Amino acid sequence: MRVFVTGASGHLGSAVVPKLISAGHDVVGLARSDTSAAAIEKLGGEVRRGDLSDLDTLREEAAGSDGVIHLAFRHDLLVSGDLAAAAEVDLAALTTLADGLAGSGKPLVGTGGTAMLVMSGIVGRPGTEHDTFPTGGYRIDADNFVAGLASRGVRSSVVRLPIVHSSLDHVGFITALIASARQHGYAAYVGEGTNQWPAVHTLDAADLYRLALEKAPAGARLHAVADAGVPFRQIAEAIGRNLDIPVRSISPDEANGYFGFLGSIAQLDNPTSSAVTRELLGWTPDHPDLIADLDAGHYFRA
C-alpha cells in the first residue's frame, strides 16, 4: 500500500513509519520543515511538504494514496492553552482527508485519547472500546466523525491513545512530569495517588496503527492500551527514585501550581481496557511497561 502519514516525523510517526515500511508499505510523510523532511527521509519515507492547514495538499495526497494514518496535531497550541484553535485545525484536516477518500473503501486511521472516557463520565470501571458519547467536546466529536466515515465508504478507525512512552518520547506527558519534578525538587502525586493512568510503549502503539490500517473494520474504535491502569503514585515514585529526590503528596488546590497544564490530567482516574482490540486484531503488546521504561533511565539522561 501507498500510505500517507501526517505527523510522520513526530514521536509516534517515527515509530509508525518504520513499522509500515518493514511490512512492505510505501510511506509518504507530511513535512512542514526541513528538519521534519530530513527525519522522514532518514526513516525511509517519501516527503510531501506542507502542514495541516494546506488542505489542497491533504486532499490530493489522500485521494492518491491507498490509505491514510493521521497522527499530526498542533500540540504547540494545546500546551499554550488554545485547545479550541488546535481542534479547529485538526477537524478541518480530518474533513479534508475524508473528502479525498470518500467512496473508495480505503482506510483512514485517526487518533483519539482514552482520557475522553473518564472526562465523559465513565467512573467505577475501566473504559472500553464500546464506550461512545453523542457529543461532549473536541475529542469526542473527532472520534465520532472518524468512526462515522464508514457511512461514506471509508474503512475508518480510531486509535484511542493513553500515555505513550519510550525513548522516542521527548515532549510528552511523562517528560512534562519529570520537568516539574526537577523544577520543584520533588516528585508529586495528588492526595493518595491511587488514580490510574493507562499507558502503552510507542512501539506497541505503532504495531496497532499498522494493524488498523491493514485490517480494522469500518467504524472501529481501538484502544492502544498495554497497562490498563498505573497508579499515579507509582509514577511519581519512579520519577523520584530516578532523580534521587523526595516524593510527596500535594492537595488538589496545589496541583495546577505544580503540574501546570497537566494539573487536572494528573488527577484523572482513567483505567482502560483493550480486550476488544486485542481480540479483534490480534494485537499483543510486548514492550516494557511504563514503570519498567522509567526505570530504564533514558528519560532522566541530560
Side-chain angles (χ1 to χ4, degrees):
M1 297 172 66
R2 178 180 174 85
V3 186
F4 179 52
V5 180
T6 70
S9 63
H11 171 194
L12 265 173
S14 61
V16 170
V17 170
K19 291 282 187 181
L20 295 174
I21 291 173
S22 66
H25 303 298
D26 297 321
V27 175
V28 179
L30 185 69
R32 63 176 180 172
S33 69
D34 291 340
T35 301
S36 294
I40 293 168
E41 289 177 341
K42 185 176 181 179
L43 293 170
E46 179 185 335
V47 173
R48 177 64 189 264
R49 293 303 293 261
D51 60 33
L52 291 184
S53 64
D54 296 328
L55 301 184
D56 289 341
T57 296
L58 298 182
R59 186 179 296 104
E60 178 183 336
E61 286 297 336
S65 73
D66 297 311
V68 174
I69 295 178
H70 180 49
L71 301 173
F73 193 75
R74 289 291 304 275
H75 292 285
D76 57 325
L77 294 175
L78 174 64
V79 172
S80 70
D82 198 353
L83 174 59
E88 182 179 355
V89 170
D90 194 54
L91 192 55
L94 276 172
T95 301
T96 302
L97 293 168
D99 289 344
L101 293 171
S104 67
K106 297 175 182 177
L108 167 62
V109 185
T111 300
T114 62
M116 60 173 271
L117 300 171
V118 65
M119 289 179 172
S120 298
I122 301 297
V123 294
R125 65 168 177 82
T128 77
E129 294 88 341
H130 296 309
D131 288 320
T132 62
F133 311 91
T135 187
Y138 163 68
R139 278 299 188 192
I140 292 174
D141 292 343
D143 188 276
N144 290 337
F145 175 80
V146 174
L149 292 174
S151 66
R152 295 181 57 191
V154 180
R155 185 166 60 79
S156 60
S157 60
V158 181
V159 176
R160 293 172 174 170
L161 293 173
I163 299 302
V164 183
H165 61 89
S166 74
S167 60
L168 297 171
D169 172 26
H170 305 297
V171 295
F173 287 175
I174 296 299
T175 59
L177 293 181
I178 293 169
S180 292
R182 290 185 191 275
Q183 176 186 349
H184 293 278
Y186 64 93
Y189 56 90
V190 179
E192 296 296 320
T194 55
N195 61 298
Q196 299 176 69
W197 274 16
V200 69
H201 194 282
T202 306
L203 297 179
D204 287 323
D207 281 329
L208 182 56
Y209 275 95
R210 178 187 62 79
L211 289 169
L213 177 84
E214 293 174 348
K215 59 182 184 179
R221 290 171 167 93
L222 308 168
H223 284 180
V225 173
D227 291 321
V230 183
F232 195 88
R233 180 170 180 167
Q234 291 184 14
I235 299 172
E237 290 171 342
I239 292 172
R241 65 174 167 266
N242 279 280
L243 291 179
D244 195 22
I245 58 176
V247 180
R248 300 178 186 170
S249 171
I250 62 175
S251 70
D253 289 340
E254 296 174 289
N256 286 339
Y258 179 91
F259 292 111
F261 79 98
L262 286 178
S264 60
I265 296 174
Q267 301 177 66
L268 290 181
D269 188 30
N270 186 213
T272 307
S273 170
S274 59
V276 173
T277 298
R278 296 179 191 225
E279 181 175 357
L280 180 67
L281 297 182
W283 179 60
T284 53
D286 57 6
H287 288 84
D289 63 25
L290 175 56
I291 301 303
D293 201 27
L294 284 168
D295 286 337
H298 58 83
Y299 271 108
F300 304 95
R301 298 179 189 128

